[in-house]
Amino acid sequence: MKPQPITIIGGGLVGALASMFFAKRGFDVTVLERRGDMRKAKVEAGRSINLALTSRGLKALTEVGLADEALKLAIPARGRMLHDAEGNTTFVPYGQKDDEVIYSISRGELNKLLLSKAGEYDNVTMRFNQKLEACDIDNGQYQFLDTEANQSHTVDAPVTVATDGAWSAVRKTMLSTVQNFNYAQSFEAHGYKELTIPAGPNGEYQIEKEALHIWPRASFMLMALPNLGGSFTVTLYLAYEGVQSFAALDSKEAVQAFFEKEFPDATALMPDLAEQFFANPTGALATIRCAPWRVGGKVMLLGDASHAIVPFFGQGMNSGFEDCSALGELLDSESDWATLFEKLEAERKPNAEAIADLALENFVEMRDTVADAKFQLKKEIGFELEKRYPGQFIPRYAMVVFHPEIPYAEAKRRGDEQEIVLNELSRGISSLHQVNWELADQLMQQHRAA
Amino acid sequence: MKPQPITIIGGGLVGALASMFFAKRGFDVTVLERRGDMRKAKVEAGRSINLALTSRGLKALTEVGLADEALKLAIPARGRMLHDAEGNTTFVPYGQKDDEVIYSISRGELNKLLLSKAGEYDNVTMRFNQKLEACDIDNGQYQFLDTEANQSHTVDAPVTVATDGAWSAVRKTMLSTVQNFNYAQSFEAHGYKELTIPAGPNGEYQIEKEALHIWPRASFMLMALPNLGGSFTVTLYLAYEGVQSFAALDSKEAVQAFFEKEFPDATALMPDLAEQFFANPTGALATIRCAPWRVGGKVMLLGDASHAIVPFFGQGMNSGFEDCSALGELLDSESDWATLFEKLEAERKPNAEAIADLALENFVEMRDTVADAKFQLKKEIGFELEKRYPGQFIPRYAMVVFHPEIPYAEAKRRGDEQEIVLNELSRGISSLHQVNWELADQLMQQHRAA
């Protein structure tokens, strides 16, 4: 594609990254962001403080030369640390290889890094405090309110990438102006609340540092990811209504009692639990799907704006970064915006659908089956099959998280097939030694044939 | 419920009917309608000119004493008349009983009847040309533009029923103001175009009057329903894009050639086919789902506003009228709006979901399998099972269309179970005489046990 001016609406993680995919190819890029410059201000607290950075996100960061710097901000987690109701722990590794780890990273710090690095390009202009007020997509005219100057102005933006997040204002315009626009926003019956386990008196991590901690309790769960500096961000996922619910936790006493009963070890590390609980907002969990993602060659939605998902596979940011990788490849091969946007949607939409479904399924796995003996056995059989049939059998989790060369849609399809094998091999047995490996051979041959 | 002022936004079929359910119980009702009074003006042409009125709709009309008058505007259709590509026809009855018919009725004439009858109640006020501009649902304040006077005014409406249709303005406000509002609008790849077969020279019907005519062509179809006065409203359902599509019908010659090849008998009856084709709009087919349908005891969406469906089961209006029946029952038993609205949604939402799914399934049946020998055989076996197991086996179509005492959700569930029986009994045979009735006995016993 011949370099020309590009407008990016939204300077969050995906918008900041996308700007560099354009800038390094010689495009002049203007990024307009609703909030102030987060490099100068404090990040809003209480929502999605840290994220899991995994191979698909790292691949995109590598393409703009930022993977190493991003990893300096991150802490590896080598597996899940399961906490039972008595405070006993079991460690379950994510994979069998040393590099099969995920990285806990601060959303704010990573976003600042991306903005700083984007700002180093001469051909990237960033404008903050720009609230989108109206879009005339057909004519490429976008009206913004400069919230500092309190003045409206119109931006001429014939080619626009909208990375303005799950509640995208550009998508909202498309919802009311694009004929036959398919749209769905679907909320879970669970919300979430972020809390903090502080660092110990000497700045030490009070629970295992290199792990994603889970307190699975079937209908709800607690999770914790490490931060730089010794603290953990803890997230409670809980139904809004019912016996065990946010509605029932209506007093400090109720919160304290609930946590002490369900998560005694975590509770002991949060002396100000009840204060935190009522100071922090309760977040909602939504899946957003739409089609088309674009209007001709004029505007294209990417990242959460076109495919917001629930966080249970840690792939929201990673899938948005993968959008940028795909965009980069098409910028090198296409010469027409309408075709480029069409191909980008054709490539990314099935994968966005797949990871949306996988993330919903993983919520059940994390809060429920992860603590189950059958689940553990199937995990062990999966690892053994991976050793015996290298390249042919790759556990579903590994395909999604450690194998960016396997698209999400393929990972879902292969994972569904493998699940049949795992169910067959684990039927009626209770340990890995009892597996019928001849049957495994047969099943894997059928699998190969299919 | 103690009578009190009620506001109804939208004076279409469902709004006009709902007003009478309130009025006959002593409520003061104000109906505000965006369009002019259709009793005085010409109805917009080219869209949904006629509808199928069936038992659920008739039940609701009976409850306000209007069934007989409505039926005077209607023409019974006793079955489907299938037209093949050579113009040969086959008649397939809807049911085995004399009263198992559907009624073709003009949307406009029925709407006018409902408005006239609602207007006869002293406690119903109707205001036309009232365009909803803004809703403050929490405070029960709705701002309307009087499009005749070109003046805005605010209506105090603490208890509101919104029957403002598939593109409901009230629902749009809920989408942006109600927390965790679930919403999906999903369009088919097919659009539709309405055409007319005129009455013959002496006002006669040029094809069988008492039938729903179908020209099933697998990926597309033509349909015709009789009007009073001898004409038929014909609807083409066709993909937007592809080899056989609206996009391909880009000239009068292309339209004429396509119709002559696919629907020769119908084409012969439409001398001005190509003119009609380009004069009439192409309509879209959408399914709309949302939740919740209400905000506390303040406002409730009913009819298409909460559950717009595709027309292939002829149940859009009927399901909306059934909403009114359910509303009426709850008005007699409840004393609190929040509870009434909650119960109404709990009762109607699963049925709205079921008929939305059934209508989508029926599109495939109508355009594709209806002309298939296997489908015909299963239909015959179903009728025979209905005779042999009265009350226990009722064909799915009959449950939906002729049995209002069976909720849509139950009809869908039982229909799915029965489909297994029909598939089993029709396997490997080609006529009713070959059915293994002992197997049928076994299957029906299993069915009863389940």
Side-chain angles (χ1 to χ4, degrees):
Chain A
M1 184 71 71
K2 205 174 109 225
Q4 59 202 275
I6 298 291
T7 304
I8 294 180
I9 299 178
L13 293 164
V14 177
L17 181 61
S19 74
M20 289 182 270
F21 275 83
F22 284 111
K24 71 194 282 276
R25 288 172 174 82
F27 292 78
D28 286 330
V29 186
T30 304
V31 180
L32 296 120
E33 164 58 36
R34 181 175 53 82
R35 292 165 298 185
D37 188 344
M38 54 166 47
R39 291 167 298 179
K40 299 175 189 161
K42 201 169 169 295
V43 180
E44 282 172 41
R47 295 192 101 125
S48 302
I49 289 172
N50 52 20
L51 301 167
L53 175 60
T54 61
S55 63
R56 293 169 204 267
L58 281 167
K59 174 173 176 286
L61 290 170
T62 302
E63 288 161 3
V64 292
L66 293 179
D68 290 343
E69 284 185 79
L71 287 178
K72 283 184 200 152
L73 303 171
I75 298 170
R78 305 188 175 279
R80 292 165 171 163
M81 185 71 82
L82 307 181
H83 297 245
D84 74 12
E86 279 74 45
N88 305 312
T89 58
T90 314
F91 184 76
V92 185
Y94 280 126
Q96 309 186 81
K97 299 170 194 144
D98 280 351
D99 60 349
E100 292 191 339
V101 302
I102 69 172
Y103 294 92
S104 175
I105 192 164
S106 154
R107 170 193 284 270
E109 293 307 316
L110 179 58
N111 208 149
K112 286 185 216 172
L113 172 70
L114 294 175
L115 290 172
S116 295
K117 293 296 172 179
E120 289 176 10
Y121 285 89
D122 287 342
N123 50 342
V124 172
T125 305
M126 281 185 285
R127 301 184 65 179
F128 296 94
N129 304 302
Q130 302 297 323
K131 184 173 182 241
L132 184 61
E133 290 187 314
C135 317
D136 176 355
I137 292 173
D138 282 340
N139 294 307
Q141 303 277 314
Y142 296 79
Q143 183 184 312
F144 289 87
L145 174 70
D146 183 318
T147 54
E148 277 199 320
N150 198 28
Q151 279 195 326
S152 289
H153 61 104
T154 297
V155 174
D156 197 37
V159 182
T160 303
V161 172
T163 49
D164 51 346
W167 304 110
S168 168
V170 175
R171 191 190 62 226
K172 197 174 173 192
T173 298
M174 287 170 64
L175 179 62
S176 58
T177 60
V178 174
Q179 271 210 327
N180 295 13
F181 188 70
N182 291 290
Y183 177 69
Q185 63 183 46
S186 165
F187 289 86
E188 297 306 295
H190 288 66
Y192 71 91
K193 177 85 75 178
E194 287 190 343
L195 305 163
T196 302
I197 293 179
N202 304 308
E204 74 277 18
Y205 290 89
Q206 300 201 75
I207 52 178
E208 168 59 36
K209 176 186 177 186
E210 299 198 342
L212 180 146
H213 295 262
I214 312 182
W215 291 255
R217 297 294 181 268
S219 68
F220 56 94
M221 70 173 185
L222 197 70
M223 222 190 78
L225 272 171
N227 300 316
L228 292 177
S231 68
F232 285 83
T233 298
V234 178
T235 312
L236 172 68
Y237 296 96
L238 181 66
Y240 288 104
E241 303 290 338
V243 179
Q244 290 164 316
S245 70
F246 280 108
L249 300 183
D250 56 356
S251 69
K252 289 188 176 178
E253 294 68 32
V255 169
Q256 197 69 36
F258 174 73
F259 270 75
E260 276 172 9
K261 173 159 181 279
E262 299 292 346
F263 321 115
D265 50 347
T267 308
L269 303 173
M270 294 186 283
D272 60 344
L273 163 68
E275 285 73 26
Q276 284 193 50
F277 190 92
F278 289 104
N280 292 345
T282 304
L285 299 164
T287 300
I288 290 172
R289 307 172 201 255
C290 68
W293 289 3
R294 66 204 147 80
V295 177
K298 298 170 193 293
V299 69
M300 173 114 200
L301 308 170
L302 287 181
D304 282 358
S306 50
H307 53 88
I309 62 179
V310 295
F312 304 106
F313 230 121
Q315 292 295 306
M317 170 181 70
N318 291 289
S319 64
F321 281 11
E322 208 178 41
D323 290 349
C324 295
S325 289
L327 169 66
E329 279 186 34
L330 288 167
L331 285 174
D332 294 336
S333 64
E334 299 301 322
S335 59
D336 167 76
W337 287 111
T339 308
L340 187 154
F341 284 171
E342 187 179 352
K343 287 190 175 179
L344 186 53
E345 179 171 343
E347 178 182 341
R348 296 304 298 157
K349 170 82 176 162
N351 292 311
E353 288 289 339
I355 192 60
D357 293 338
L358 286 165
L360 288 165
E361 287 170 24
N362 223 43
F363 187 24
V364 180
E365 176 172 323
M366 286 183 83
R367 71 179 197 239
D368 196 351
T369 51
V370 85
D372 171 277
K374 193 75 172 185
F375 174 81
Q376 300 293 353
L377 175 62
K378 281 162 69 179
K379 203 99 189 164
E380 286 173 40
I381 298 173
F383 284 161
E384 184 60 30
L385 289 172
E386 189 179 19
K387 277 187 208 148
R388 289 176 180 240
Y389 306 95
Q392 200 196 339
F393 190 105
I394 307 173
R396 190 185 75 162
Y397 185 87
M399 284 193 284
V400 171
V401 175
F402 305 127
H403 287 270
E405 76 284 4
I406 301 176
Y408 288 127
E410 185 186 333
K412 181 172 193 303
R413 186 180 53 70
R414 287 172 64 173
D416 289 346
E417 286 171 17
Q418 291 178 176
E419 190 64 18
I420 298 169
V421 174
L422 292 174
N423 285 335
E424 198 72 18
L425 291 180
S426 63
R427 183 178 301 149
I429 63 170
S430 57
S431 99
L432 189 61
H433 308 293
Q434 297 169 281
V435 171
N436 178 345
W437 294 111
E438 278 179 35
L439 176 60
D441 258 347
Q442 287 170 27
L443 292 169
M444 289 306 295
Q445 260 170 18
Q446 287 169 20
H447 180 65
R448 196 193 306 250
Chain B
M1 184 70 72
K2 205 174 109 223
Q4 61 202 276
I6 298 291
T7 304
I8 294 180
I9 299 179
L13 293 164
V14 178
L17 181 61
S19 74
M20 289 181 268
F21 276 83
F22 284 110
K24 71 196 281 276
R25 288 171 174 83
F27 291 79
D28 287 329
V29 186
T30 304
V31 181
L32 296 120
E33 163 58 38
R34 182 174 53 81
R35 291 165 301 183
D37 188 344
M38 54 166 47
R39 292 168 297 179
K40 299 174 189 161
K42 199 168 169 295
V43 180
E44 281 174 41
R47 296 191 99 124
S48 303
I49 288 173
N50 52 18
L51 301 167
L53 175 61
T54 61
S55 62
R56 293 169 203 267
L58 281 166
K59 174 173 178 286
L61 289 170
T62 303
E63 288 161 5
V64 292
L66 292 180
D68 291 342
E69 283 185 80
L71 286 179
K72 284 182 201 153
L73 304 171
I75 299 170
R78 305 188 176 279
R80 292 165 171 164
M81 184 70 82
L82 306 182
H83 297 245
D84 74 12
E86 280 73 47
N88 305 311
T89 57
T90 313
F91 184 75
V92 185
Y94 280 127
Q96 308 186 80
K97 298 169 196 147
D98 279 349
D99 61 347
E100 292 191 340
V101 301
I102 70 173
Y103 294 92
S104 176
I105 192 165
S106 154
R107 169 193 285 271
E109 293 307 317
L110 180 58
N111 208 148
K112 286 184 217 173
L113 172 69
L114 295 175
L115 289 171
S116 295
K117 293 297 170 179
E120 289 176 11
Y121 286 89
D122 287 341
N123 50 344
V124 173
T125 305
M126 281 185 285
R127 302 184 63 179
F128 296 94
N129 304 301
Q130 302 296 324
K131 183 174 184 241
L132 184 62
E133 291 187 312
C135 316
D136 176 356
I137 292 173
D138 282 340
N139 294 307
Q141 303 278 313
Y142 296 78
Q143 182 185 311
F144 288 87
L145 173 70
D146 183 316
T147 54
E148 277 198 320
N150 197 27
Q151 278 194 328
S152 290
H153 61 105
T154 297
V155 174
D156 198 36
V159 182
T160 303
V161 173
T163 49
D164 51 348
W167 304 109
S168 169
V170 175
R171 190 190 64 225
K172 197 174 173 190
T173 298
M174 288 171 66
L175 179 62
S176 59
T177 58
V178 174
Q179 271 208 329
N180 295 13
F181 188 70
N182 291 291
Y183 177 69
Q185 60 183 48
S186 165
F187 289 86
E188 296 307 294
H190 288 66
Y192 71 92
K193 176 85 74 178
E194 288 190 343
L195 305 163
T196 302
I197 292 178
N202 304 310
E204 76 275 20
Y205 290 88
Q206 301 200 75
I207 50 178
E208 167 60 36
K209 176 185 177 187
E210 297 198 343
L212 180 145
H213 295 263
I214 313 182
W215 290 255
R217 298 293 182 267
S219 67
F220 56 93
M221 70 175 185
L222 196 70
M223 222 190 79
L225 273 172
N227 301 317
L228 292 177
S231 67
F232 286 83
T233 299
V234 178
T235 312
L236 172 68
Y237 295 96
L238 181 66
Y240 289 105
E241 304 289 337
V243 178
Q244 290 164 316
S245 70
F246 280 109
L249 299 183
D250 56 357
S251 69
K252 290 189 176 178
E253 294 68 33
V255 169
Q256 197 68 35
F258 173 74
F259 271 75
E260 277 173 9
K261 173 160 180 279
E262 299 292 346
F263 321 115
D265 51 346
T267 307
L269 302 173
M270 293 187 282
D272 60 342
L273 163 68
E275 285 72 27
Q276 285 194 51
F277 190 93
F278 289 104
N280 292 346
T282 305
L285 300 164
T287 301
I288 291 173
R289 307 172 198 256
C290 68
W293 289 2
R294 66 205 147 79
V295 178
K298 296 170 193 293
V299 70
M300 174 113 200
L301 308 171
L302 287 182
D304 282 359
S306 50
H307 53 87
I309 64 179
V310 294
F312 303 106
F313 231 121
Q315 292 296 307
M317 170 182 70
N318 291 290
S319 63
F321 281 11
E322 208 177 43
D323 291 349
C324 294
S325 289
L327 169 67
E329 279 186 32
L330 289 167
L331 285 174
D332 294 336
S333 63
E334 300 301 321
S335 58
D336 166 76
W337 286 111
T339 308
L340 188 154
F341 285 171
E342 186 179 351
K343 288 191 176 179
L344 186 51
E345 179 171 345
E347 179 183 341
R348 295 304 298 157
K349 169 83 176 161
N351 291 312
E353 289 288 339
I355 192 59
D357 293 339
L358 287 165
L360 288 167
E361 287 170 24
N362 225 41
F363 187 23
V364 180
E365 176 172 323
M366 285 183 83
R367 71 180 197 238
D368 195 352
T369 50
V370 84
D372 172 277
K374 191 76 173 184
F375 175 82
Q376 300 295 354
L377 175 61
K378 281 162 71 178
K379 204 99 188 165
E380 286 174 41
I381 297 173
F383 283 161
E384 185 60 31
L385 289 172
E386 189 178 19
K387 277 187 210 149
R388 289 175 179 240
Y389 306 95
Q392 199 196 340
F393 190 105
I394 307 173
R396 190 186 76 163
Y397 186 87
M399 285 193 283
V400 171
V401 174
F402 305 127
H403 287 269
E405 77 284 4
I406 301 176
Y408 289 126
E410 186 185 334
K412 181 173 193 301
R413 187 180 52 69
R414 288 173 62 173
D416 288 346
E417 285 171 16
Q418 292 178 175
E419 189 65 17
I420 299 168
V421 174
L422 291 174
N423 285 333
E424 197 72 19
L425 292 180
S426 62
R427 183 178 301 150
I429 64 170
S430 57
S431 99
L432 190 61
H433 308 293
Q434 296 169 282
V435 170
N436 179 344
W437 295 111
E438 278 179 35
L439 177 59
D441 258 347
Q442 286 170 29
L443 291 169
M444 289 307 295
Q445 258 168 21
Q446 286 169 22
H447 180 67
R448 196 193 306 250

